[in-house]
Amino acid sequence: MKLIVGVIEARNIPAMDVNGFSDPYVKLQLGKQRHKTKVVKKTLNPSWGEEFSFKVEDLNEELLITVLDEDKYFNDDFVGQLKVSVSQVFDAHNKSLGTVWYSLHPRNKKLKNKECGEILLNIYFSQNNSYLDSTYNGDHASALRKHEDMDVKDISRSFSGSSSSSSPPRLDDNVSSKEEKSSAQKSLAGRITQMFNRNFDIGPTTSTRGNDLMEIPEISRADVFDNKSDDQSSSFEEAMEALCSRDQGSEIPSNLPGGVLLDQLYVIAPKELNFLLFSPDSSFPRSLAEVQGSTDPQIGPWKFENGGESLKRIYSYVRAPTKLIKAVKATEEQTYIKADGKTFAVLASVSTPDVMYGSTFKVEVLYCISPGPELPSGKESSHLVISWRMNFLQSTLMKSMIENGARQGLKESFEQFTTLLEQTIKPVDSKDFGLNKEQILGSLQAEPQSDWKLAVQYFANFTMVSTVFMSLYVIVHICLAAPSTIQGLEFLGLDLPDSIGEFIVCGILVLQGERVLQLISRFMRARVQKGSDHGVKAQGDGWLLTVALIEGSNLAAVDSSGYCDPYVVFTCNGKTRTSSIKYQKSAPQWNEIFEFDAMKEPPSVLDLEVFDFDGPFDEATSLGHAEVNFVRSNISDLADVWVPLHGKLAQACQSKLHLRIFVENTRGGNVVTEYLRKMEKEVGKKINVRSPQTNSAFQKLFGLPPEEFLINDFTCHLKRKMPLQGRLFLSPRIIGFHANLFGHKTKFFFLWEDIEDIQVLPPTLASMGSPVIVVTLRPGRGMDARHGAKTRDEEGRLKFHYQSFVSFNVAYRTIMALWKARALSPEQKVQIVEEESEAKSLQSDESGSFLGLEDVSMSEVYSCALPVPVSHLSLFL
């Protein structure tokens, strides 16, 4: 029997690295058998999803599970460990402990209160009998269960002793049985031997049944699947339907850290694209093998494993020889990790043991197919993303060389894959969305709203009905009642309540009247604010931003009626657009279009916030907010997107908005040149246009959209605990830093709008005699770049320190010019322009260094005062 250990994931792992993260992996040891999981980089909640098997020879052994943090230059750090007794698993129900969270413990018992995190494990013994029960169906399965039940009963009778035997046991037999029992407790084989040896005392019938029972487990797991596929003739379509029915709404897996090999939209439904790439009847894999020069392709059938939880197949082929590597056999294990009918994710693990160091690594490729935006023609589209990573099974000094070789090979292979796929199905051109924007937006029509219908819907509540009823009741009472006599403090024209009951009724009427007046004022104010910015056309030439607000879903209810009166406020580059108010809606339909006036620079962020209208005098309640980052998003993906809202109310109700966002440039192809000319005036130095290859490398380095271009880059040091040399990259919308120290890469960027202040610190000995530029971000901004910050204050502001610039003045002026252009308000810009009255001449890089009088600043190194008698001065006169 084998012990199966599934290492699924861990949570709350303590941070072992200076960047606030860990690189955890798990070591498993049972006796002399050892296994190791892959390393998950920069996370405190790693997910492995790996399974290992151990051959069990002694039940007294313990399974040691240790979580470590990988360290490239020093010994790996210990995180936590736990021990599981094999006998505990064997004695458990169904010989399985199930999927359980285990707490990790420190190695030193004195630190027992230290939090080491938790790990999710699935530990069980593999049992062929129970597996057959779950896979076989029909009369054969029922007969098999009946046969096993009979055997179990016979075995239980054999343990009952002399009462179930016709002859009393002998003394020697008892002694030998005790010895067998004590020895059987020491090993798994002894227990099984003891169980079946007792069957011989029952008679020939029982021994025959025992032999039949022992023959059943000889059927292998693969035979079961082969028989199942042959008997039921299960097709790929049926397997997909079964897999989709078992999907419990799991999340789409994120891209693998090795990089993205393909990211493209195709004019095809996701289900059809899945069949094209992975169906056994598809000719695409064989055509791809011919294009790549691979021979002897052998595509195995799709088979369910782990009780039907996963669907796998084996695809093997002989790769074509290259200049460096001869023809080798590759085995690709493809596994479905998500399939819900619309989204499909397949993880392919490729092993090439015949290459040099091939047994130490595997290449993992993730195929993600998701629904794309709806096309103007009405056809469906699919978004295909292919990413990869290296999974090193053993540590090796050739890790960097292996990664570079695998990266180059995958790049060439998937270039051929992309070419063949584009010949088979049509890719979606992002220009199609821009050309058909008017057609898409023209189909949106705001729902006509009748004032009378809205008034009935708004005022049909308990407050209005009760107020109207009480008012009519009082009016009828006045008509029927006779005038009362003047008494007490009353006089002619002043009628006061004559009892406590009348006083209470008058108070209720006053309060009800006040509430009715508030409702009427809110309604009238909302009607005045109705659709103030809907349909207003943008003016000017430049970057035009168009936002179509379609609908909302699950908006929070802050009113006692269970509904809200929502409206949305959009903000971009200091300009706002406001939607109309929808009365008493939790899932409102807007279908409104908002256009922002042309901007000189491409927009970075679109902020949106949903408010609940609560009258002209009260402050509006926020129902949620969100941010659309154009730098981190592809413009084509924003053509039809659901944006989740953040905030306490929004997250509790899972609120979201349906938007269609379009960004286009109306100034033609001279945008880069015009922007650089503008920056030259601010910097006082000529800025050269970078080549398309340089801009492409810059976009790929930070994962930026194609409209982003590089303005300048500088060599400098990033000051954290220790200075880190790298390059500072500046573009119209971001400031980024990248460093590569012996393969350890540091990379981050943040927006110019995130910066609150930029200061210059004088040179010191700690800064190696160089001025330091301190960039302070706004509270809560730039959290993705927090691993590069030197400090973080109590209010959540990150501070980045840059020093040791080759040309400090040019770098500082460029940074300040870009920050002023993006982050400052128009009033602040005018004030700065008025202060800077002197124009600065342009100088090219060839004309020499740019140093004015104001640039010369020398630090005081040494000074002292010495007393000199006045008489000594006469010697010099």
Side-chain angles (χ1 to χ4, degrees):
M1 296 181 71
K2 291 186 177 180
L3 180 67
I4 308 299
V5 182
V7 183
I8 303 174
E9 60 178 325
R11 62 188 181 190
N12 301 329
I13 295 295
M16 309 299 293
D17 298 336
V18 294
N19 58 6
F21 294 98
S22 296
D23 303 329
Y25 68 95
V26 182
K27 278 188 176 181
L28 302 95
Q29 181 176 356
L30 181 63
K32 296 182 179 181
Q33 305 174 67
R34 297 181 180 180
H35 292 288
K36 175 183 173 183
T37 67
K38 61 191 175 186
V39 179
V40 183
K41 297 289 186 179
K42 295 182 180 180
T43 181
L44 301 180
N45 299 288
S47 178
W48 293 283
E50 299 185 36
E51 194 174 82
F52 307 94
S53 63
F54 297 88
K55 184 179 179 182
V56 178
E57 297 180 353
D58 190 352
L59 291 177
N60 293 329
E61 291 182 332
E62 285 186 334
L63 174 66
L64 177 61
I65 301 169
T66 308
V67 180
L68 301 170
D69 171 63
E70 185 187 47
D71 198 323
K72 285 189 175 182
Y73 310 108
F74 304 97
N75 294 331
D76 294 347
D77 299 324
F78 175 83
V79 177
Q81 68 179 11
L82 66 99
K83 296 180 180 180
V84 179
S85 175
V86 176
S87 60
Q88 178 185 356
V89 184
F90 186 84
D91 295 335
H93 179 65
N94 291 332
K95 295 182 174 54
S96 172
L97 297 180
T99 304
V100 181
W101 284 98
Y102 297 87
S103 298
L104 297 173
H105 305 289
R107 186 178 295 167
N108 190 351
K109 295 183 178 180
K110 296 181 180 180
L111 303 175
K112 60 182 180 179
N113 295 327
K114 180 182 178 182
E115 293 292 337
C116 299
E118 296 178 310
I119 187 170
L120 183 63
L121 303 174
N122 183 17
I123 307 175
Y124 61 93
F125 273 101
S126 63
Q127 297 177 343
N128 291 334
N129 291 347
S130 61
Y131 184 78
L132 290 173
D133 291 340
S134 62
T135 54
Y136 273 81
N137 297 319
D139 297 334
H140 180 71
S142 61
L144 179 61
R145 295 188 187 96
K146 182 177 180 181
H147 181 73
E148 289 183 359
D149 292 340
M150 293 173 62
D151 294 329
V152 172
K153 292 179 180 179
D154 293 337
I155 294 172
S156 63
R157 291 194 194 100
S158 67
F159 283 104
S160 61
S162 59
S163 60
S164 60
S165 179
S166 57
S167 59
R170 292 175 297 176
L171 182 61
D172 296 339
D173 295 338
N174 291 336
V175 174
S176 62
S177 64
K178 291 180 179 180
E179 293 175 355
E180 291 177 359
K181 182 176 181 180
S182 60
S183 62
Q185 298 294 333
K186 298 180 180 179
S187 66
L188 175 63
R191 286 194 178 186
I192 298 176
T193 303
Q194 176 189 4
M195 184 174 63
F196 285 101
N197 282 343
R198 293 189 177 183
N199 292 340
F200 294 108
D201 297 337
I202 300 175
T205 305
T206 307
S207 63
T208 303
R209 291 175 181 171
N211 292 334
D212 295 339
L213 180 63
M214 295 179 65
E215 292 175 0
I216 293 174
E218 295 179 1
I219 303 176
S220 65
R221 179 178 284 190
D223 294 336
V224 172
F225 283 118
D226 292 339
N227 293 335
K228 182 178 179 181
S229 60
D230 293 339
D231 295 340
Q232 299 182 357
S233 301
S234 59
S235 63
F236 182 69
E237 293 82 358
E238 295 174 352
M240 282 290 99
E241 292 178 359
L243 199 62
C244 294
S245 62
R246 295 172 185 172
D247 189 273
Q248 302 295 329
S250 58
E251 296 183 357
I252 302 176
S254 57
N255 294 334
L256 298 182
V260 176
L261 300 170
L262 176 62
D263 187 353
Q264 181 62 44
L265 293 170
Y266 294 95
V267 187
I268 189 175
K271 189 174 182 180
E272 296 177 1
L273 180 58
N274 175 58
F275 274 78
L276 175 66
L277 298 180
F278 302 107
S279 174
D281 300 331
S282 174
S283 60
F284 182 81
R286 294 177 176 83
S287 302
L288 180 63
E290 294 178 0
V291 172
Q292 295 178 346
S294 301
T295 58
D296 194 20
Q298 298 179 3
I299 304 177
W302 288 100
K303 299 179 181 181
F304 280 103
E305 294 187 3
N306 297 332
E309 294 182 359
S310 61
L311 186 64
K312 296 183 179 181
R313 78 170 178 183
I314 303 297
Y315 175 33
S316 62
Y317 51 90
V318 178
R319 298 188 59 179
T322 62
K323 295 180 180 180
L324 300 177
I325 302 175
K326 63 179 182 179
V328 294
K329 183 177 181 180
T331 303
E332 191 170 321
E333 184 183 79
Q334 299 175 350
T335 306
Y336 272 93
I337 58 179
K338 180 174 178 58
D340 59 3
K342 296 182 179 179
T343 304
F344 303 89
V346 178
L347 180 64
S349 180
V350 185
S351 59
T352 52
D354 296 337
V355 302
M356 186 179 298
Y357 300 100
S359 59
T360 63
F361 69 91
K362 287 185 178 181
V363 179
E364 295 181 352
V365 181
L366 178 63
Y367 299 80
C368 284
I369 304 173
S370 59
E374 184 180 355
L375 301 178
S377 60
K379 296 181 179 180
E380 294 185 72
S381 65
S382 299
H383 188 197
L384 175 61
V385 180
I386 303 177
S387 57
W388 75 284
R389 71 178 174 190
M390 296 291 297
N391 183 8
F392 284 93
L393 308 177
Q394 302 176 10
S395 59
T396 173
L397 298 176
M398 309 299 292
K399 182 177 179 180
S400 178
M401 186 188 72
I402 294 173
E403 285 184 345
N404 293 333
R407 183 181 294 106
Q408 183 64 27
L410 287 171
K411 181 180 178 181
E412 296 175 357
S413 298
F414 278 91
E415 284 178 355
Q416 299 170 341
F417 176 93
T418 304
T419 303
L420 181 60
L421 192 60
E422 290 179 352
Q423 296 174 358
T424 307
I425 54 178
K426 179 184 177 183
V428 177
D429 191 356
S430 60
K431 296 181 180 179
D432 295 341
F433 294 100
L435 295 174
N436 295 276
K437 185 186 78 170
E438 299 297 334
Q439 180 181 355
I440 296 174
L441 298 180
S443 61
L444 300 178
Q445 295 182 357
E447 180 183 357
Q449 298 178 341
S450 173
D451 291 342
W452 288 106
K453 184 178 179 180
L454 288 176
V456 171
Q457 183 181 5
Y458 189 76
F459 293 114
N461 52 48
F462 177 77
T463 301
M464 292 297 300
V465 172
S466 61
T467 302
V468 171
F469 175 77
M470 294 181 66
S471 300
L472 292 176
Y473 189 86
V474 171
I475 292 173
V476 173
H477 170 72
I478 294 174
C479 295
L480 297 178
S484 60
T485 58
I486 298 177
Q487 55 183 350
L489 299 178
E490 296 178 345
F491 54 86
L492 187 61
L494 178 63
D495 190 6
L496 299 177
D498 297 334
S499 63
I500 299 298
E502 291 182 0
F503 179 78
I504 294 175
V505 171
C506 292
I508 294 175
L509 289 175
V510 171
L511 294 177
Q512 290 291 90
E514 181 185 6
R515 295 192 62 183
V516 170
L517 291 177
Q518 288 181 352
L519 288 175
I520 295 174
S521 64
R522 286 176 56 187
F523 181 79
M524 298 304 297
R525 178 72 176 179
R527 296 311 298 162
V528 173
Q529 191 176 336
K530 171 186 173 183
S532 58
D533 295 322
H534 169 55
V536 177
K537 295 296 182 180
Q539 299 179 356
D541 291 331
W543 292 93
L544 297 180
L545 173 61
T546 304
V547 181
L549 175 61
I550 311 298
E551 59 182 324
S553 176
N554 299 328
L555 298 184
V558 295
D559 196 359
S560 59
S561 61
Y563 297 98
C564 58
D565 304 326
Y567 67 95
V568 185
V569 177
F570 299 94
T571 305
C572 183
N573 284 4
K575 303 175 183 178
T576 61
R577 295 291 184 269
T578 306
S579 73
S580 62
I581 301 172
K582 296 298 178 181
Y583 299 100
Q584 302 296 297
K585 298 284 186 180
S586 59
Q589 292 278 344
W590 276 285
N591 289 337
E592 297 179 359
I593 302 173
F594 308 96
E595 294 185 359
F596 288 81
D597 291 340
M599 294 168 277
K600 296 181 180 179
E601 297 88 14
S604 302
V605 176
L606 172 65
D607 294 315
L608 59 96
E609 189 163 7
V610 183
F611 293 97
D612 176 63
F613 185 77
D614 196 18
F617 307 107
D618 298 329
E619 184 178 355
T621 303
S622 176
L623 302 180
H625 60 88
E627 177 184 279
V628 179
N629 194 320
F630 296 105
V631 177
R632 300 182 183 273
S633 304
N634 195 339
I635 293 179
S636 61
D637 295 337
L638 300 176
D640 191 358
V641 62
W642 281 90
V643 179
L645 300 179
H646 303 284
K648 294 182 179 179
L649 294 175
Q651 292 178 349
C653 300
Q654 297 182 351
S655 305
K656 54 185 178 179
L657 292 179
H658 187 192
L659 304 176
R660 290 184 176 179
I661 304 174
F662 302 91
V663 179
E664 59 180 342
N665 178 30
T666 61
R667 287 189 297 177
N670 297 326
V671 178
V672 177
T673 305
E674 293 177 1
Y675 190 86
L676 292 181
R677 289 176 181 175
K678 176 184 175 182
M679 288 297 103
E680 286 175 351
K681 296 179 181 180
E682 298 288 340
V683 177
K685 190 179 190 303
K686 184 175 180 60
I687 302 176
N688 297 322
V689 180
R690 300 303 177 99
S691 65
Q693 294 79 7
T694 304
N695 283 325
S696 178
F698 168 66
Q699 296 163 6
K700 185 177 180 180
L701 178 64
F702 292 101
L704 302 174
E707 65 268 14
E708 196 71 13
F709 58 91
L710 179 63
I711 294 179
N712 210 338
D713 61 305
F714 303 94
T715 300
C716 66
H717 283 82
L718 175 68
K719 184 63 180 301
R720 295 182 294 186
K721 291 184 178 179
M722 293 291 293
L724 177 64
Q725 184 176 1
R727 296 193 72 82
L728 189 67
F729 296 87
L730 307 178
S731 73
R733 293 187 288 185
I734 73 158
I735 173 173
F737 180 83
H738 177 265
N740 188 349
L741 181 63
F742 302 109
H744 183 74
K745 298 181 181 180
T746 301
K747 179 177 64 176
F748 62 87
F749 73 88
F750 45 83
L751 303 177
W752 292 107
E753 289 85 350
D754 296 339
I755 300 177
E756 184 181 76
D757 188 22
I758 297 179
Q759 297 178 346
V760 178
L761 301 181
T764 60
L765 184 61
S767 65
M768 296 177 288
S770 169
V772 181
I773 298 179
V774 181
V775 179
T776 305
L777 303 189
R778 302 180 189 275
R781 307 292 295 184
M783 288 301 161
D784 294 338
R786 60 180 178 273
H787 59 278
K790 179 177 176 60
T791 58
R792 180 180 179 181
D793 60 13
E794 298 178 354
E795 298 181 3
R797 294 185 180 90
L798 298 177
K799 294 188 177 183
F800 299 82
H801 290 224
Y802 303 99
Q803 64 185 41
S804 302
F805 289 92
V806 176
S807 179
F808 174 79
N809 295 287
V810 175
Y812 175 69
R813 290 186 176 185
T814 306
I815 292 173
M816 291 299 296
L818 291 172
W819 177 52
K820 292 174 184 178
R822 297 292 304 189
L824 299 183
S825 62
E827 294 78 8
Q828 293 173 326
K829 294 179 183 178
V830 172
Q831 182 180 359
I832 293 177
V833 170
E834 291 177 353
E835 293 176 356
E836 298 177 354
S837 57
E838 297 181 358
K840 299 177 182 179
S841 59
L842 302 179
Q843 294 185 4
S844 61
D845 293 333
E846 293 79 13
S847 62
S849 60
F850 184 86
L851 287 175
L853 295 176
E854 67 277 6
D855 296 324
V856 180
S857 59
M858 303 181 66
S859 303
E860 182 178 341
V861 178
Y862 176 78
S863 65
C864 65
L866 297 176
V868 179
V870 179
S871 60
H872 292 179
L873 295 177
S874 60
L875 299 176
F876 300 97
L877 298 177

